[in-house]
Amino acid sequence: MNTVLSRANSLFAFSLSVMAALTLGCFVTTAFKDRCVPVQLQVSRILLKNIEDFTGPRRRSDLGLLTFHITADLEKTFDWNVKQLFLYLSAEYSTKYNAVNQVVLWDKIVLRGDNPKLQVKDIKTKYFFFDDGNGLKGNPNVTLTLSWNVVPIAGILPLVTGSGHVSVPFPDAYDIMKTY
């Protein structure tokens, strides 16, 4: 006869196998879903300053200050396997020293149950937009893109880029106002 421990072990192993199969089924039903939605980005104000960079050598670096609007309906992205979305707005540009520069300017976490219609107006950058030199002054093509990570209950963590972006030129002169 089987002992109590042997029966408990069999029951535990069977339960674990069933839960693994259900988790795999959960992942497979949502793994190939297209989570890209249209995004509208608008930049309402751009300020460019040349300030002393205290993080490295005592040089002056460009600091970009943006005010922007974001509109997106993320309802299509949520399903029963999504726990939350990690949204972030990034700027991508090139300089004579670096072919690709990417900087995260703003982020937000949208939990399941929150309003999935994102509509923010006159938002300033959450993080400093520093360039490691003077690559922002007169840069004709700084592209802002809204992307997000889908945090699932089970499965992989996909990175999704919204289907809208905006390219803005930066000013040719520095702003000398004292407001940040």
Side-chain angles (χ1 to χ4, degrees):
M1 287 298 212
N2 293 334
T3 64
V4 172
L5 289 176
S6 175
R7 290 180 185 202
N9 185 26
S10 296
L11 182 63
F12 177 73
F14 177 72
S15 299
L16 193 61
S17 299
V18 168
M19 288 190 334
L22 288 174
T23 303
L24 180 66
C26 177
F27 163 68
V28 168
T29 59
T30 59
F32 305 107
K33 182 179 177 184
D34 181 25
R35 299 185 187 277
C36 185
V37 297
V39 174
Q40 293 178 352
L41 296 169
Q42 295 175 339
V43 177
S44 60
R45 185 174 173 199
I46 300 173
L47 294 176
L48 182 62
K49 298 195 177 285
N50 189 280
I51 64 172
E52 190 170 348
D53 185 6
F54 296 106
T55 61
R58 298 291 180 171
R59 297 185 318 187
R60 297 188 73 79
S61 296
D62 287 352
L63 172 66
L65 300 165
L66 302 172
T67 304
F68 54 90
H69 315 300
I70 302 174
T71 305
D73 186 5
L74 301 167
E75 194 166 1
K76 177 184 164 190
T77 309
F78 280 95
D79 58 25
W80 60 273
N81 191 26
V82 175
K83 188 187 310 183
Q84 68 185 23
L85 299 177
F86 177 73
L87 308 171
Y88 59 95
L89 180 72
S90 61
E92 184 172 323
Y93 62 100
S94 61
T95 61
K96 63 181 178 180
Y97 298 113
N98 299 316
V100 177
N101 295 290
Q102 292 179 327
V103 180
V104 173
L105 303 175
W106 176 84
D107 64 12
K108 179 182 173 91
I109 295 176
V110 180
L111 300 172
R112 184 202 324 226
D114 289 351
N115 186 7
K117 295 183 192 301
L118 183 69
Q119 197 165 25
V120 292
K121 293 191 184 288
D122 292 327
I123 298 295
K124 295 182 186 215
T125 56
K126 193 176 192 180
Y127 306 108
F128 289 117
F129 187 6
F130 267 112
D131 182 63
D132 58 349
N134 297 352
L136 290 178
K137 181 180 179 183
N139 195 319
N141 189 14
V142 177
T143 303
L144 302 178
T145 307
L146 183 70
S147 303
W148 53 89
N149 287 102
V150 178
V151 181
I153 295 171
I156 59 173
L157 185 79
L159 170 65
V160 181
T161 301
S163 66
H165 62 274
V166 64
S167 295
V168 294
F170 264 68
D172 292 329
Y174 294 114
D175 187 34
I176 54 174
M177 290 177 29
K178 294 291 182 185
T179 60
Y180 293 100

